[in-house]
Amino acid sequence: MPSAQPLPKARFRRAAPGRFIWPALFLLIAVLTGFSLPASGSVPTFYAGSGEFGYQDGSRLEADFRFPYGLTANKDNQIIVADSHNNRIRKIAGDQVTTVAGFSDSFDAFGFPAGGYVDGAAEKARFRNPRGIVVDSANTIYVADTGNHAIRKISGGRVSTFAGNGRPGYQDGTGNQARFNAPSGLAIDEHDNLYVSDTLNNVIRKITPQGLVSTLAGQAGPNGGYRDGPVGGARFNEPAGLALAGNGALYVLDSGNQLVRKIQDLQVSTLAGFRDLREEETDYAPGAYRDGAWAEARFNFPKGIDLAPNGVIFIADTWNHRVRALTPQGEAITIAGTGRAGRTAETSTSMLNGPVDLLYHDGVLYISDMWNNGLRALPLDPYNLPRLLTPAPAAERIRVWLDGELLPFPDAEPYIEQGRVILPLRALGEKLGGQVQWLPHEHKAIVKKGALEQAFAAPYLTIRENRSMIPLRYLAERMGFQVEWVEQERAVFLKSRDQ
């Protein structure tokens, strides 16, 4: 689909590939006794949109969207949506979806509502594939009108051009003297200064409340690059989502570099992600997927970002079809999505399809689930985030061998945490020939194998995505097995004492 890819450039692009402290006792009981409960906060529910690719106002779950993109909330706690391929700005108030601004009465060659560039009364104004959206202290809405290369303003029932003139280019200046090239991400500070991801110029711009446009960071040009350091010499590659922290740090999703960058004190640094060599015949770093330490994490064209009050950074990892979080402890984790594009909600996880923007508001993370043509809602406590079990890349997966037999773990792959291999207790205990029993009054699990009986409790027993997890060496040695870890093969070899 057209907006599934980064914004077009005059260059070739190959399609991209598709600890825990114990929670409530009832959850642990459910896990160890075989009952299935949804992981708290890990299943985004359908919030708005029928899923149909169309345009219709009305009740939240019956309204139709076409590739909804940017999200924000106004001073009345209503959610504002940039409905990109309907070329409209929509509002969700209570149970109703209405149109705030935008109009289209014809279709383009692809069958989408035709965009345009018209200021004036909100119901007659025209946009072209709007993306980023924010609200200022006076409840004025600002829109990154991406296809029109302009920043538009909605106030008092009217739409006007705040900066830019509808023509692509690069120029600082005031109002319509300035020029942009497919601006897509917006952020706003307490003084109503706007920050813009000028995506195809590969720079970050700033606009004062008086409309003066300047370049904040990066070197403008048609080809992206990568360089940290002083803002004037830094380089970006199709920057997308922006988020501004209370301490003045501006977080940038450097989409084409597959990185999370930070601008603070006139310096640009890389916060998270690993940039491999660029893809052959493109200027893009290859996308990938991996959780772990910030510097080791991998992303795949992330587009949307928002912040929690405790410093958690939420990221819409668009082409990985996941929502990720960067914790203040320096870890990247997955909190929603399976990695497979889809719409179905399951008992413990839920599939997403191209999440492109996020809004954390009043304890709920709203997700613009673009290719599902709707919004999802995920209640979240940022101090107790869900953490989905995620497979490592095939070349990095941990294999466990028992007396020469490779053990399958279809529901939860082994992972490494603080140098220890961790596996699900029930699955591993049973693979070792034991039976797992939960003793609710003693708050512990018992693994029995013949006459051998071993008890396990915190801090060794933890919960991850509704599964009781245990360090492999701790369990195996107490169950009478020898354990050998072979780093070069990323393999664990278990051997019975009598073998």
Side-chain angles (χ1 to χ4, degrees):
M1 298 181 182
S3 59
Q5 300 180 358
L7 293 163
K9 288 186 178 181
R11 57 187 184 184
F12 173 81
R13 147 126 220 115
R14 186 172 63 209
R19 240 180 287 166
F20 254 134
I21 297 173
W22 286 39
L25 178 60
F26 75 91
L27 181 60
L28 185 58
I29 294 173
V31 171
L32 293 177
T33 55
F35 292 99
S36 176
L37 291 173
S40 177
S42 66
V43 184
T45 60
F46 299 116
Y47 178 73
S50 67
E52 295 296 323
F53 186 69
Y55 169 69
Q56 179 174 298
D57 285 336
S59 62
R60 284 192 291 111
L61 293 175
E62 295 179 356
D64 296 334
F65 294 85
R66 282 188 172 97
F67 296 165
Y69 211 100
L71 302 177
T72 193
N74 64 16
K75 306 305 176 184
D76 302 314
N77 292 316
Q78 301 163 338
I79 297 177
I80 312 298
V81 185
D83 191 1
S84 67
H85 276 61
N86 275 320
N87 300 302
R88 291 172 167 93
I89 308 304
R90 317 280 291 278
K91 178 175 70 175
I92 305 174
D95 188 52
Q96 294 296 306
V97 176
T98 58
T99 298
V100 174
F103 173 76
S104 182
D105 58 358
S106 60
F107 293 86
D108 62 20
F110 299 98
F112 299 139
Y117 185 43
V118 177
D119 285 337
E123 66 273 14
K124 295 296 183 181
R126 293 181 183 252
F127 299 86
R128 181 173 281 112
N129 297 338
R131 291 193 172 188
I133 189 166
V134 293
V135 173
D136 73 4
S137 60
N139 233 13
T140 297
I141 301 171
Y142 292 89
V143 180
D145 192 3
T146 305
N148 281 321
H149 314 286
I151 307 303
R152 312 288 290 282
K153 176 180 177 179
I154 307 173
S155 179
R158 298 188 66 80
V159 175
S160 59
T161 298
F162 184 58
N165 56 20
R167 296 189 300 275
Y170 172 71
Q171 183 173 309
D172 288 338
T174 301
N176 61 13
Q177 297 174 349
R179 297 178 74 178
F180 302 84
N181 196 351
S184 66
L186 292 180
I188 193 166
D189 67 18
E190 60 183 351
H191 304 296
D192 290 338
N193 293 297
L194 282 175
Y195 300 86
V196 184
S197 278
D198 192 0
T199 302
L200 293 191
N201 279 323
N202 299 296
V203 294
I204 307 302
R205 315 287 287 277
K206 178 181 178 180
I207 312 176
T208 69
Q210 295 74 37
L212 176 61
V213 179
S214 60
T215 299
L216 175 68
Q219 295 181 317
N223 298 317
Y226 170 67
R227 185 186 299 137
D228 283 339
V231 290
R235 298 190 67 190
F236 298 88
N237 193 351
E238 294 192 4
L242 298 176
L244 191 64
N247 64 359
L250 180 64
Y251 296 100
V252 182
L253 290 183
D254 192 3
S255 177
N257 282 321
Q258 318 295 352
L259 301 173
V260 184
R261 313 282 291 281
K262 182 173 75 169
I263 304 172
Q264 189 169 30
D265 300 327
L266 301 180
Q267 294 286 320
V268 177
S269 59
T270 297
L271 188 72
F274 181 88
R275 184 180 182 273
D276 291 311
L277 296 176
R278 69 182 188 179
E279 281 192 290
E280 185 179 357
E281 300 182 46
T282 81
D283 288 331
Y284 300 106
Y289 170 69
R290 184 191 300 170
D291 282 340
W294 286 1
E296 298 174 356
R298 301 291 191 275
F299 302 93
N300 199 351
F301 292 94
K303 300 292 186 182
I305 184 171
D306 206 2
L307 309 177
N310 68 333
V312 169
I313 303 171
F314 298 113
I315 297 172
D317 194 359
T318 304
W319 284 20
N320 276 324
H321 307 290
R322 291 175 165 104
V323 176
R324 318 280 291 280
L326 302 182
T327 72
Q329 294 75 36
E331 190 178 11
I333 64 175
T334 297
I335 62 173
T338 66
R340 293 181 293 122
R343 179 175 167 83
T344 59
E346 301 166 358
T347 57
S348 61
T349 57
S350 183
M351 297 168 69
L352 302 171
N353 196 354
V356 290
D357 203 15
L358 302 171
L359 169 66
Y360 186 68
H361 184 67
D362 284 348
V364 177
L365 184 66
Y366 296 93
I367 305 167
S368 188
D369 197 8
M370 182 174 66
W371 300 326
N372 277 327
N373 299 303
L375 274 62
R376 311 289 277 270
L378 178 60
L380 278 182
D381 174 3
Y383 293 93
N384 186 24
L385 292 172
R387 180 188 304 235
L388 301 187
L389 291 173
T390 56
E396 300 177 6
R397 291 176 185 166
I398 299 166
R399 294 171 297 164
V400 181
W401 298 80
L402 173 61
D403 294 334
E405 178 187 354
L406 179 64
L407 301 183
F409 294 96
D411 298 325
E413 289 193 12
Y415 65 95
I416 295 178
E417 185 173 80
Q418 296 183 332
R420 302 180 302 174
V421 177
I422 313 293
L423 297 97
L425 172 63
R426 180 176 294 279
L428 182 58
E430 292 176 352
K431 294 294 183 183
L432 295 179
Q435 295 178 327
V436 180
Q437 178 184 8
W438 168 245
L439 302 181
H441 300 294
E442 300 180 43
H443 301 176
K444 63 183 178 183
I446 302 294
V447 178
K448 297 181 179 180
K449 182 184 178 186
L452 179 64
E453 180 176 306
Q454 294 290 339
F456 300 92
Y460 296 101
L461 190 66
T462 60
I463 298 295
R464 184 170 176 175
E465 200 192 354
N466 283 353
R467 294 180 176 91
S468 52
M469 309 299 291
I470 198 81
L472 170 63
R473 185 176 295 274
Y474 180 74
L475 175 62
E477 290 183 346
R478 294 187 65 183
M479 294 289 292
F481 288 82
Q482 296 176 339
V483 182
E484 180 185 5
W485 164 251
V486 180
E487 174 65 37
Q488 63 269 29
E489 298 183 23
R490 293 186 65 78
V492 177
F493 294 89
L494 303 176
K495 185 178 180 182
S496 304
R497 297 290 185 184
D498 54 0
Q499 291 292 308

